[in-house]
């Protein structure tokens, strides 16, 4: 009776609104859900509840991964795909930062570009594949172009918001201290918006990863996305599943790198108390 | 005895401000005339929305007046300038810079040598009682400490006018009291004309040579009260009968304005 109540109160403590829980518990809960899914997956395949064609077992997927690793395919695929992602995302970022910053600071530029960008960002990137081949051929350039199109427009709008969200009094403080508009832009607005912009980087590179398969859908002979599309023809579900999980994992690693770098770069942004 | 001289330093000459809201022009401030003498400490009080911040922003050159003009030593204000320091309610510190960095940043446009700048920064860090926190980032400081950085940043380049918009509004009562005494100290030592916006009547009287009460909708000058309390002032001055009389007068003015606004808001 008492143990039941205490269990109940202990459980209830986990569900207080917006209260912190023990950090270990937090991490464990993050492992718990995937492990349950993994167990369910294993169970479903081990007891023959689904056909291997529809859902290969975890063991099959690991074996497929091992095969790709030993044959060297895994490494070359990951390398070329990561390269495309980085270039596509970098080009998008190099253009989106100035565009977003200008849109966030000058109403006239926001007025001129916002309707256009907002329209384009709803256009399906997949539909642009034929055009992209016409324009950029079938080489890496076309893949990078697709990744660029999938990333840039959202990114520019988000950076505009990051810039707009800074405390307007910071700009006013700069003006009272005698700084020119250009100096205020460079030395106050940019650094103030930078943590937000960095978060945008982190989110958008995740989106670039999700566009990988689309980018390698047509006219590619290598890459993680290509491997998945090829596997579809032979119904090699273990290859498909392994490739998908791998892209997820690489995305997660990218995300983690951005998060950690951000914490180092913007140490001032962390409350010390 | 007031420390201010008789020279007019800051003159507001028929200053008015209209805002365009939903294509309709709304009068926020309606022709305010006001003169501040050199080194005078003037508090501005009034109901919320009566135009205190707008007025201060116009003096700071951060907003343009729709009518009239502001003159400093006879020269019309056309924009922000280093003759005026500004302290905002929201601190508005450069959070990527240390305490020292924030204060030094304000000196960047002045002609001091590097050594002089370091000396000035060190001096003002001490003035606002932040010695030992030079290398701390704003996020690591309490609200009162952050506002002290903002005050040091606004004073270090020696502006002749200090504009403060509810600078202690976000602080708890104790910290607020300490900050008021600190501000008076700094004002006595550094000779600066202060225009101080607050909605705390005690604070307004305690600090100022004169309290300006604004009327609401549109903002107009309702009363201009000379505060003849001796200086230097300590916290216990609030117990004096004159203090209570000033307070009664100002509170009744504000109450009248609040009732007026509430009556206007009735359907
Ligand atoms: N940018 C703006 N656009 C439209 N109206 C504005 C703008 N800024 C201020 N106002 C209006 O002008 C009036 C005065 O505003 P102001 O901020 O100066 O008041 P305040 O006295 O500082 O109020 P508070 O005590 O709440 O800070 C208000 O009615 C406000 O709605
Ligand atoms: Mg205000």
């Amino acid at each position: 009776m008492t143990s039941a109540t205490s269990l109940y109160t202990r459980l209830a403590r986990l569900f207080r609104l917006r209260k912190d829980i023990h950090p270990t518990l937090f991490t464990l809960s993050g492992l718990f859900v995937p492990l349950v899914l993994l167990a369910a997956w294993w169970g479903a395949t081990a007891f023959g509840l689904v056909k291997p064609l529809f859902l290969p077992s975890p063991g099959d997927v690991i074996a497929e991964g091992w095969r790709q690793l030993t044959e060297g395919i895994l490494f070359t695929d990951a390398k070329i795909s990561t390269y495309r992602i980085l270039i596509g995302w970098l080009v998008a970022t190099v253009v989106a930062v100035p565009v977003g910053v200008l849109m966030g600071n000058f109403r006239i530029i926001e007025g001129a570009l916002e309707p256009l960008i907002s329209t384009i960002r709803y256009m399906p990137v997949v539909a642009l594949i034929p055009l992209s081949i016409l324009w950029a051929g079938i080489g890496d350039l076309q893949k990078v172009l697709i990744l660029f199109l999938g990333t840039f427009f959202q990114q520019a709008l988000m950076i505009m918001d990051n810039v707009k969200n800074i405390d307007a009094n910071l700009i006013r403080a700069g003006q009272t201290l005698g700084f020119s508009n250009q100096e205020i832009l460079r030395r106050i607005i940019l650094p103030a918006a930078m943590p937000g912009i960095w978060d945008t980087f982190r989110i958008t590179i995740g989106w670039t990863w999700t566009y990988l398969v689309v980018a390698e859908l047509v006219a590619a002979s290598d890459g993680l996305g290509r491997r998945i599309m090829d596997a579809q023809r032979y119904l090699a579900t273990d290859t498909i599943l392994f490739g998908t999980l791998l892209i997820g994992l690489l995305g997660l690693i990218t995300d983690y790198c951005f998060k950690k770098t951000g914490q180092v770069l913007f140490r001032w942004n962390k409350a010390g108390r | 005895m007031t420390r201010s001289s008789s020279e007019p330093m800051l003159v507001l000459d028929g200053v008015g401000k209209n805002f365009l809201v939903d294509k309709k022009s709304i009068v926020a401030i309606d022709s305010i005339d006001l003169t501040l003498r050199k080194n005078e400490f003037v508090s501005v009080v009034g109901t919320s929305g009566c135009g205190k911040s707008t007025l201060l922003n116009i003096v700071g050159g951060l907003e343009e007046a729709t009518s009239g003009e502001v003159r400093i030593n006879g020269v019309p204000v056309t924009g922000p300038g280093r003759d005026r320091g500004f302290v905002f309610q929201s601190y508005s510190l450069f959070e990527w810079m240390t305490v020292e960095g924030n204060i030094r940043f304000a000196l960047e446009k002045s002609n001091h040598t590097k050594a002089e700048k370091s000396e000035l920064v060190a001096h003002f860090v001490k003035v606002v009682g932040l010695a030992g926190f030079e290398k701390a980032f704003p996020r690591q400081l309490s609200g009162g400490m952050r506002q002290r950085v903002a005050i040091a940043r606004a004073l270090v380049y020696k502006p002749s006018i200090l504009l403060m918009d509810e600078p202690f509004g976000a602080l708890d009562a104790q910290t607020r009291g300490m900050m008021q005494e600190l501000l008076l100290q700094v004002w006595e030592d550094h000779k600066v004309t202060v225009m101080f916006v607050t909605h705390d009547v005690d604070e307004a009287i305690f600090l100022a040579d004169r309290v300006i009460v604004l009327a609401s909708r549109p903002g107009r000058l309702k009363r201009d009260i000379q505060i003849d309390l001796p200086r230097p002032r300590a916290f216990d001055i609030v117990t004096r009968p004159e203090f209570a009389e000033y307070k009664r007068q100002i509170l009744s003015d504000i109450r009248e304005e609040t009732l007026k606004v509430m009556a206007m808001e009735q359907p």
Side-chain angles (χ1 to χ4, degrees):
Chain A
M1 175 71 197
T2 42
S3 75
T5 9
S6 83
L7 181 66
Y8 173 76
T9 44
R10 284 170 73 179
L11 270 176
R13 286 184 64 78
L14 296 178
F15 292 94
R16 291 170 301 163
L17 281 171
R18 314 262 171 125
K19 289 284 189 275
D20 232 339
I21 57 168
H22 196 279
T24 319
L25 203 57
F26 183 82
T27 316
L28 281 179
S29 65
L31 289 172
F32 179 74
V33 175
L35 283 178
V36 167
L37 286 176
L38 194 65
W41 175 17
W42 178 83
T45 48
F47 296 110
L49 299 177
V50 284
K51 285 203 188 111
L53 176 64
F54 294 114
L55 187 66
S57 71
D60 290 345
V61 172
I62 292 169
E64 168 62 14
W66 181 251
R67 180 187 71 83
Q68 291 193 15
L69 187 69
T70 47
E71 286 178 18
I73 316 168
L74 179 73
F75 188 67
T76 37
D77 275 352
K79 201 168 75 174
I80 186 71
S81 288
T82 311
Y83 165 78
R84 286 167 183 158
I85 294 276
L86 278 180
I87 299 295
W89 179 83
L90 270 177
V91 175
T93 302
V94 165
V95 188
V97 168
V99 168
V101 168
L102 290 175
M103 285 173 73
N105 282 300
F106 301 102
R107 290 286 284 170
I108 178 78
I109 299 182
E110 182 188 354
L113 296 182
E114 207 266 349
L116 182 74
I117 292 183
S118 289
T119 312
I120 299 180
R121 86 188 161 115
Y122 285 111
M123 296 184 186
V125 176
V126 190
L128 292 172
I129 291 178
L131 268 183
S132 73
I133 292 177
L134 218 59
W135 293 339
I138 54 167
D140 269 353
L141 188 65
Q142 182 261 341
K143 280 88 197 154
V144 168
L145 179 64
I146 289 291
L147 294 172
F148 172 88
L149 291 173
T151 312
F152 170 75
F153 300 99
Q154 316 269 359
Q155 202 182 22
L157 290 184
M158 285 171 77
I159 290 174
M160 174 183 80
D161 274 338
N162 295 141
V163 170
K164 281 186 169 185
N165 278 338
I166 71 161
D167 175 5
N169 281 339
L170 290 180
I171 299 172
R172 297 178 143 192
Q175 288 171 338
T176 61
L177 296 177
F179 289 93
S180 69
N181 278 351
Q182 204 231 331
E183 286 169 322
I184 290 173
L185 206 63
R186 201 164 41 84
R187 303 193 53 194
I188 295 177
I189 296 176
L190 262 187
M194 212 47 219
I197 294 179
W198 193 262
D199 270 344
T200 297
F201 286 174
R202 197 181 134 201
I203 295 166
T204 51
I205 201 165
W207 290 344
T208 315
W209 272 107
T210 64
Y211 278 107
L212 182 67
V213 178
V214 175
E216 293 176 351
L217 197 59
V218 180
S221 54
D222 46 15
L224 298 169
R226 181 71 260 162
R227 183 83 43 209
I228 293 173
M229 293 318 293
D230 277 346
Q232 185 195 12
R233 254 185 285 164
Y234 315 111
L235 296 178
T237 34
D238 49 353
T239 310
I240 295 175
L241 212 52
F242 174 74
T244 314
L245 289 174
L246 185 63
I247 290 178
L249 184 69
L250 289 175
L252 185 72
I253 293 171
T254 323
D255 192 73
Y256 184 81
C257 292
F258 266 87
K259 196 164 151 184
K260 284 295 157 192
T261 319
Q263 282 171 2
V264 174
L265 283 178
F266 310 114
R267 237 169 304 177
W268 54 266
N269 200 26
K270 205 176 66 189
R273 300 168 338 116
Chain B
M1 188 207 80
T2 64
R3 284 176 68 262
S4 53
S5 69
S6 56
E7 302 168 51
M9 145 130 224
L10 174 62
V11 176
L12 282 72
D13 187 357
V15 170
K17 177 79 183 176
N18 293 16
F19 283 111
L20 217 54
V21 179
D22 293 336
K23 292 183 182 154
K24 271 183 292 192
S25 182
I26 291 183
V27 187
I29 300 177
D30 181 34
S31 182
I32 289 187
D33 294 313
L34 185 65
T35 302
L36 271 71
R37 293 187 301 272
K38 199 163 184 299
N39 300 342
E40 198 173 20
F41 198 125
V42 172
S43 293
V44 180
V45 294
T47 53
S48 182
C50 73
K52 304 182 293 292
S53 297
T54 306
L55 191 67
L56 207 66
N57 287 339
I58 291 173
V59 175
L62 299 171
E63 272 177 49
E64 275 177 65
T66 322
S67 59
E69 68 175 8
V70 177
R71 287 188 297 273
I72 295 169
N73 295 320
V75 184
V77 163
T78 54
R82 283 171 65 80
D83 51 349
R84 284 150 289 158
F86 219 110
V87 180
F88 304 90
Q89 174 171 3
S90 58
Y91 315 132
S92 302
L93 296 177
F94 306 121
E95 303 209 324
W96 56 99
M97 300 181 196
T98 59
V99 166
E100 219 171 42
N102 266 278
I103 304 172
R104 179 179 285 272
F105 193 65
L107 282 175
E108 209 156 294
K109 293 282 158 183
S110 54
N111 308 321
H112 299 283
T113 64
K114 232 180 150 183
E116 286 170 339
K117 285 182 184 174
S118 302
E119 211 169 287
L120 273 168
V121 172
H123 172 72
F124 274 92
V125 164
K126 229 180 285 148
V127 165
V128 296
L130 284 176
F133 290 95
E134 290 89 345
K135 302 276 184 266
F137 285 103
R139 288 271 164 107
Q140 299 168 316
L141 304 177
S142 70
M145 291 161 94
R146 283 187 221 186
Q147 200 53 294
R148 280 184 269 168
V149 180
I151 291 174
R153 187 181 66 185
L155 283 173
V156 69
Y157 57 98
K158 304 268 160 72
S160 48
I161 299 173
L162 190 58
L163 305 169
M164 307 181 89
D165 191 359
E166 303 200 31
F168 308 145
L171 304 178
D172 61 83
Q174 281 77 23
T175 315
R176 185 179 255 250
M178 300 300 290
M179 294 295 293
Q180 290 164 358
E181 291 191 42
L182 175 85
L183 177 62
L184 279 188
Q185 183 101 54
V186 171
W187 173 70
E188 309 253 353
D189 294 346
H190 289 86
K191 292 211 179 11
V192 56
T193 310
V194 183
M195 197 165 162
F196 187 99
V197 166
T198 178
H199 59 250
D200 180 338
V201 175
D202 281 308
E203 179 172 76
I205 303 169
F206 175 72
L207 294 170
D209 297 320
R210 262 162 79 202
V211 175
I212 307 291
V213 184
L214 291 188
S216 299
R217 316 242 178 130
R220 254 176 294 106
L221 215 70
K222 184 175 177 77
R223 199 180 292 274
D224 184 342
I225 305 180
Q226 189 75 33
I227 306 292
D228 287 316
L229 292 169
R231 291 190 188 272
R233 294 177 189 165
F235 69 95
D236 53 1
I237 206 158
V238 300
T239 56
R240 282 174 169 252
E242 306 98 287
F243 191 101
E245 181 46 33
Y246 289 134
K247 188 173 173 180
R248 195 200 58 75
Q249 175 72 69
I250 295 168
L251 282 176
S252 88
D253 281 346
I254 294 178
R255 192 180 138 75
E256 208 176 291
E257 288 305 313
T258 312
L259 289 175
K260 194 181 86 188
V261 170
M262 284 170 74
M264 278 162 63
E265 278 168 2
Q266 295 298 322

